[in-house]
Amino acid sequence: MNTDKKPSYTRRDFVKTAAKGAVLTTVAMTGFPTIVPASVFGKYAPSNRINIGQIGCGRIARTHDLAETFKYDVAQIMAIADVDRSRLKSGKQMIEGWYDKKMKKTGYIDVKTYDDYHELLANKDIDAVMISTPDHWHAQPAIEAAMAGKHIYLQKPTSLTIEEGRQMSDAVRKSGVTFQLGSQQRSVNPWPQFKQACELVRNGRIGKLHTVHIGLPIDPSGGIATEMPVPEGFNYDMWLGSTPEIYYTTDRVHSLTDPDSRGGWLRMEQFGAGMITGWGVHHIDIAHWGMNTELTGPIEIEATAEFAKKGLWNVHGNYEVSAKYANGVKMLMSSKNPNGIRFEGTDGWIFVSRGSVAVTSSDPTSPGGQAKAFQASDPKILTSVIGPKEIHLYESPEQHGNWLDCIQSKKQTISPAEVAHRSCSTCLLAHAAMKVPGKLYWDPKKEVFKNNVEANKLLSRPQRFPYGTNYISNKKS
């Protein structure tokens, strides 16, 4: 496939497809399109809840997205989709069991299951979706959900490539659906220190910001490469999606026995970029928040990285990344740094991290353990009160709850699509710099490298038909 070919998914295609299949109504007073889910015309009445479909039912869905969303009475998980029927079965049992226990009634809900998420998106009773799939299956279902008029909670990173991320952000903007990225470090539960750190930096408590240091964990090399038969009930072709066809082996995909463990795909460049996007989106998102660069990106970037020379898993190992922004701030990322973000200014520094708290039990940690979650050059900085006339950043109690609230209020979420795309883009720029020697010059407005053909080839990937964002408009509506 010619990588220079323009995607067949265009804005005109989007409008045509949305007109056919999206649940859109026009508000006469404003003339702007808006999404009106069946479940928002009341608060918590059973018939007026936000009906949610879960796409992907692995580790993050089970231990995080579903677990958090269950807490809100306004939400009702009514359907799931997965290409692995064993996960479909266990996911259905888990969701129905949770509702039976909460409602003290056996058979309270019959959760619908789908082998193909397109059928879930076609269900008009579903108002919103949570997408908790592998990285290479983020942008496409998000775009299709937007075109179907479904509100979207998308796990990070937003996309496999910068081109996909731009397509996704544009599709969400055009549709008007409520979008939230799973960049939960922005919400005060369970980590209030990230918002606090960014407010202190934005209000000058460490003087003029000049450098941000970021530390990210790395994944191990290894993995068993022996070819194996595809398990019964697993649609491996669809799981591969837009990426190249390649033989099945368990360590390339996910555990058949432990759905809560980290899948081997996280360590495969075919399906993602490794920890530079896996955790990089979280920390770069916070860095952008503190730097006030949420809607842009670096103008210069260079990097070095080690890559495994043997074994199945081939994402980056130890790395060093240096980036410069138009405001003069430098961002320095290294696998040698403590896992977290350190803001340095002319009058001091602030370091912020999750400390010992993890999202799931299988999250990796940096060598030597976790640093203290919230530190500063002067402890008094951390207790400084932000005055009423100073900068107060968006406060979200919890990421999933903020999404649900914004579906009802039609306000912008704390992690909207364009902000999410920009955080992911910076991660992918770092990954490109690992591959192309020397300093790269980036145009954040045009989203291209300046005068570097090799680097620009990495902004997109060939997509295996019929999967991929470039073929969405060719599918039957």
Side-chain angles (χ1 to χ4, degrees):
M1 177 179 173
N2 184 356
T3 56
D4 294 330
K5 181 181 178 182
K6 291 184 179 180
S8 63
Y9 173 79
T10 65
R11 292 180 179 180
R12 181 174 296 177
D13 291 327
F14 174 84
V15 173
K16 288 180 179 179
T17 308
K20 293 179 181 179
V23 185
L24 296 175
T25 62
T26 302
V27 179
M29 292 179 63
T30 65
F32 290 102
T34 182
I35 305 300
V36 186
S39 59
V40 300
F41 295 107
K43 190 124 184 189
Y44 300 127
S47 61
N48 291 324
R49 289 175 182 158
I50 300 172
N51 290 326
I52 298 172
Q54 172 67 52
I55 300 176
C57 203
R59 176 180 67 110
I60 289 295
R62 297 165 63 90
T63 64
H64 182 56
D65 288 333
L66 288 171
E68 291 296 333
T69 307
F70 279 148
K71 299 175 182 177
Y72 299 97
D73 289 336
V74 71
Q76 181 164 274
I77 313 298
M78 63 166 289
I80 57 173
D82 202 296
V83 295
D84 186 335
R85 288 187 178 175
S86 66
R87 293 193 169 193
L88 266 184
K89 181 180 178 180
S90 63
K92 176 181 171 69
Q93 291 173 341
M94 181 184 72
I95 296 167
E96 291 177 351
W98 188 90
Y99 279 117
D100 285 351
K101 183 176 180 180
K102 179 180 180 180
M103 305 307 294
K104 298 179 181 179
K105 178 182 178 182
T106 302
Y108 172 77
I109 188 172
D110 179 17
V111 174
K112 295 177 174 64
T113 60
Y114 299 93
D115 295 314
D116 186 333
Y117 73 88
H118 294 99
E119 296 175 9
L120 182 151
L121 292 178
N123 186 333
K124 294 182 179 180
D125 291 332
I126 294 175
D127 304 307
V129 295
M130 293 193 294
I131 303 171
S132 316
T133 49
D135 294 3
H136 64 295
W137 266 114
H138 283 182
Q140 180 177 344
I143 292 171
E144 291 168 325
M147 293 171 71
K150 312 297 186 187
H151 302 296
I152 303 160
Y153 190 101
L154 178 65
Q155 266 302 324
K156 52 77 196 168
T158 55
S159 60
L160 189 62
T161 67
I162 290 176
E163 179 183 78
E164 286 183 0
R166 170 48 56 210
Q167 293 169 335
M168 186 280 297
S169 182
D170 287 350
V172 169
R173 175 178 53 81
K174 277 187 169 291
S175 71
V177 299
T178 300
F179 176 97
Q180 180 83 297
L181 185 73
S183 51
Q184 65 272 14
Q185 288 181 170
R186 282 187 175 237
S187 291
V188 297
N189 180 18
W191 302 298
Q193 64 267 27
F194 289 103
K195 174 179 176 287
Q196 187 177 354
C198 291
E199 283 185 332
L200 292 170
V201 172
R202 293 274 286 267
N203 285 291
R205 297 302 193 271
I206 59 172
K208 182 175 175 56
L209 179 68
H210 56 74
T211 308
V212 180
H213 293 271
I214 294 176
L216 305 170
I218 57 174
D219 269 314
S221 58
I224 299 172
T226 306
E227 184 171 359
M228 302 175 183
V230 177
E232 185 178 354
F234 179 46
N235 187 344
Y236 181 54
D237 181 77
M238 189 173 187
W239 186 90
L240 286 173
S242 64
T243 74
E245 186 174 356
I246 193 169
Y247 70 86
Y248 173 86
T249 186
T250 299
D251 280 357
R252 193 191 309 281
V253 187
H254 56 241
S255 171
L256 300 177
T257 57
D258 184 6
D260 295 345
S261 63
R262 284 174 64 81
W265 63 265
L266 285 156
R267 301 168 179 129
M268 299 292 302
E269 284 211 325
Q270 180 166 343
F271 314 118
M275 278 296 179
I276 199 67
T277 53
W279 269 57
V281 169
H282 285 306
H283 288 353
I284 288 174
D285 178 58
I286 296 301
H288 280 182
W289 209 14
M291 294 162 62
N292 193 20
T293 57
E294 296 170 275
L295 296 175
T296 184
I299 57 174
E300 299 176 8
I301 192 163
E302 58 185 327
T304 59
E306 298 174 4
F307 290 89
K309 294 181 172 59
K310 60 180 180 179
L312 179 70
W313 298 330
N314 60 358
V315 294
H316 71 84
N318 289 319
Y319 64 91
E320 300 283 342
V321 179
S322 175
K324 182 181 178 180
Y325 286 71
N327 62 6
V329 177
K330 290 184 178 180
M331 179 188 291
L332 305 175
M333 294 182 277
S334 174
S335 53
K336 298 176 183 177
N337 292 340
N339 187 355
I341 307 104
R342 176 179 164 121
F343 297 98
E344 294 183 350
T346 53
D347 298 335
W349 57 264
I350 293 172
F351 174 81
V352 62
S353 74
R354 297 184 185 183
S356 59
V357 179
V359 174
T360 70
S361 60
S362 59
D363 277 349
T365 57
S366 295
Q370 299 283 358
K372 188 178 178 181
F374 202 23
Q375 305 173 53
S377 52
D378 182 346
K380 293 180 181 178
I381 293 174
L382 303 184
T383 57
S384 176
V385 177
I386 306 299
K389 294 184 179 181
E390 291 189 287
I391 297 169
H392 290 260
L393 298 176
Y394 191 136
E395 180 157 328
S396 159
E398 192 277 325
Q399 203 79 354
H400 300 80
N402 174 249
W403 176 56
L404 296 169
D405 286 343
C406 290
I407 289 173
Q408 294 187 304
S409 68
K410 298 181 177 62
K411 294 180 180 179
Q412 183 170 271
T413 63
I414 195 168
S415 299
E418 184 63 21
V419 170
H421 166 61
R422 294 294 182 165
S423 296
C424 183
S425 293
T426 300
C427 300
L428 292 169
L429 292 176
H431 187 249
M434 294 177 183
K435 302 286 186 174
V436 180
K439 186 176 291 185
L440 303 177
Y441 298 90
W442 177 249
D443 185 333
K445 291 184 179 179
K446 296 180 179 178
E447 295 189 300
V448 294
F449 289 106
K450 299 177 181 179
N451 303 319
N452 196 309
V453 175
E454 290 304 308
N456 281 322
K457 288 179 181 178
L458 301 177
L459 300 181
S460 62
R461 296 191 190 188
Q463 297 183 345
R464 187 173 66 99
F465 185 82
Y467 306 105
T469 57
N470 292 349
Y471 304 115
I472 289 174
S473 62
N474 293 333
K475 295 181 173 68
K476 292 180 181 180
S477 60

